[in-house]
Amino acid sequence: MPEGKIIKALSGFYYVLYDERLIQCRGRGVFRKNKISPLVGDEVVFQAENDQEGYILEIKERRNELIRPPIANVDRAFLVFSAVEPDFSTVLLDRFLVLVEFNHIEPIICITKMDLTNSAQKQTIEEYAKQYRAAGYEVILTSSETEAGIELLYPHLEAKISVFAGQSGVGKSSLLNALRPDLELKTNDISSHLGRGKHTTRHVELIEVGNGLVADTPGFSSLEFTNIEAEDLTLCFPELHKASENCKFRGCLHISEPKCGVKQAVDSEEIPHYRYEHYVDFLQEIKDRKPRY
């Protein structure tokens, strides 16, 4: 049986990319019975009725799935944050990073609107970029207006499924327009190209950008740490996880335990204080979460 990738879902039909053709498929009733829905990004086995139509028989195991819009097997998340207008926020970025890391998605930090910064603001952003790179993250500074840094994004799109995530107003649409001008997305207003217009709420589609597939989406139905447990949080901060190898006690949460490798790294400024403070705040948030039954 042929295998392909769902790249579009619309009104109960799933469009499977197979051998450079799109096959319009329906899901078999067994999926509804088992309460499984095929998702854009799924690798599937299908049965072709003819050159244009068929039925999905099997959904391959997913590496991950996001909730809004529903999409599976995401490789990379471009976390788009502006240097100014709105101002760069490390706490919001770290919240996105934790959620991306927890979902086993590789983050690329993209800081936009560098053309709008004055010398002091630029220096501040460059220092943050240096610190996040030291933590192990890829950081790209861009301007959609001048197209500075845009070419550095293309290699990270190649042959991957990516999402562009970030708060409104940071320039996600402008960035996508710079990467692929024929999209002609309106800034601050996602067009139906990407399935988020007023009349296309059920339309989810991956579009080709830079030899990869992209969905423009917040990627998360909320920014709350609903499924993350306290002991998992360190894993979502790569530099804290690395420093935790020097903790005396297994299961150290790096708060009040003695001989903690993480706190030693913070004291010696190997880990920025703000990153540790965000970890402590997020840990408390997880501990304060109401239990689920």
Side-chain angles (χ1 to χ4, degrees):
M1 291 289 179
E3 297 184 13
K5 186 197 301 288
I6 299 175
I7 65 164
K8 178 178 172 182
L10 177 63
S11 304
F13 288 102
Y14 303 96
Y15 295 83
V16 177
L17 184 62
Y18 171 72
D19 196 24
E20 297 188 359
R21 287 182 291 137
L22 272 188
I23 311 295
Q24 180 181 282
C25 294
R26 285 197 178 275
R28 296 300 293 266
V30 67
F31 296 129
R32 285 192 297 276
K33 183 180 175 183
N34 295 331
K35 296 183 178 176
I36 299 171
S37 293
L39 295 177
V40 167
D42 272 333
E43 300 286 346
V44 297
V45 178
F46 68 97
Q47 180 178 11
E49 300 286 293
N50 51 52
D51 283 350
Q52 296 178 312
E53 297 175 307
Y55 284 92
I56 293 172
L57 302 178
E58 180 189 345
I59 300 170
K60 297 288 191 176
E61 186 177 354
R62 293 168 182 157
R63 296 193 310 279
N64 53 50
E65 62 182 274
L66 300 181
I67 295 168
R68 191 187 65 180
I71 183 172
N73 300 318
V74 177
D75 297 299
R76 292 202 171 122
F78 288 78
L79 302 182
V80 184
F81 280 72
S82 54
V84 292
E85 298 179 20
D87 290 341
F88 183 68
S89 167
T90 58
V91 67
L92 188 58
L93 173 56
D94 285 350
R95 188 171 281 272
F96 268 102
L97 283 169
V98 166
L99 290 163
V100 166
E101 295 274 8
F102 184 72
N103 282 281
H104 306 291
I105 299 168
E106 181 189 352
I108 306 289
I109 299 170
C110 180
I111 303 176
T112 61
K113 303 186 184 180
M114 289 301 294
D115 57 300
L116 299 182
T117 58
N118 59 36
S119 58
Q121 291 166 332
K122 183 181 180 184
Q123 189 174 349
T124 298
I125 294 298
E126 287 175 344
E127 182 59 31
Y128 279 132
K130 181 181 174 183
Q131 291 167 351
Y132 278 99
R133 287 177 183 132
Y137 293 112
E138 183 76 33
V139 184
I140 299 173
L141 308 182
T142 69
S143 164
S144 300
E145 195 66 33
T146 66
E147 298 197 353
I150 298 298
E151 74 285 351
L152 300 175
L153 298 172
Y154 285 109
H156 300 289
L157 291 162
E158 187 100 25
K160 302 291 183 183
I161 293 180
S162 303
V163 295
F164 277 59
Q167 66 189 125
S168 61
V170 296
K172 294 193 298 296
S173 298
S174 298
L175 201 60
L176 282 163
N177 280 336
L179 286 163
R180 188 178 150 181
D182 64 301
L183 284 176
E184 297 181 348
L185 298 181
K186 296 177 187 173
T187 52
N188 296 325
D189 179 26
I190 304 305
S191 90
S192 58
H193 271 95
L194 294 167
R196 292 183 56 214
K198 288 180 181 176
H199 305 295
T200 55
T201 52
R202 295 185 181 278
H203 172 196
V204 183
E205 183 174 359
L206 293 169
I207 57 166
E208 196 170 322
V209 180
N211 296 322
L213 296 169
V214 170
D216 172 74
T217 162
F220 304 93
S221 58
S222 78
L223 291 176
E224 296 177 2
F225 305 129
T226 310
N227 298 313
I228 303 176
E229 301 301 332
E231 57 270 21
D232 296 328
L233 187 60
T234 306
L235 299 172
C236 302
F237 284 79
E239 74 276 45
L240 271 68
H241 180 52
K242 183 178 179 183
S244 71
E245 294 171 3
N246 299 319
C247 293
K248 182 176 181 180
F249 299 103
R250 287 185 67 183
C252 180
L253 291 178
H254 326 302
I255 302 297
S256 55
E257 300 89 341
K259 298 185 178 177
C260 168
V262 169
K263 287 191 290 181
Q264 289 169 3
V266 175
D267 290 341
S268 64
E269 298 187 349
E270 293 170 52
I271 294 174
H273 282 269
Y274 65 87
R275 284 279 285 171
Y276 177 69
E277 287 165 9
H278 297 164
Y279 166 82
V280 172
D281 290 345
F282 297 166
L283 185 66
Q284 192 60 50
E285 187 177 325
I286 290 168
K287 288 180 174 179
D288 291 343
R289 187 175 62 206
K290 292 179 180 176
R292 288 168 290 149
Y293 299 103

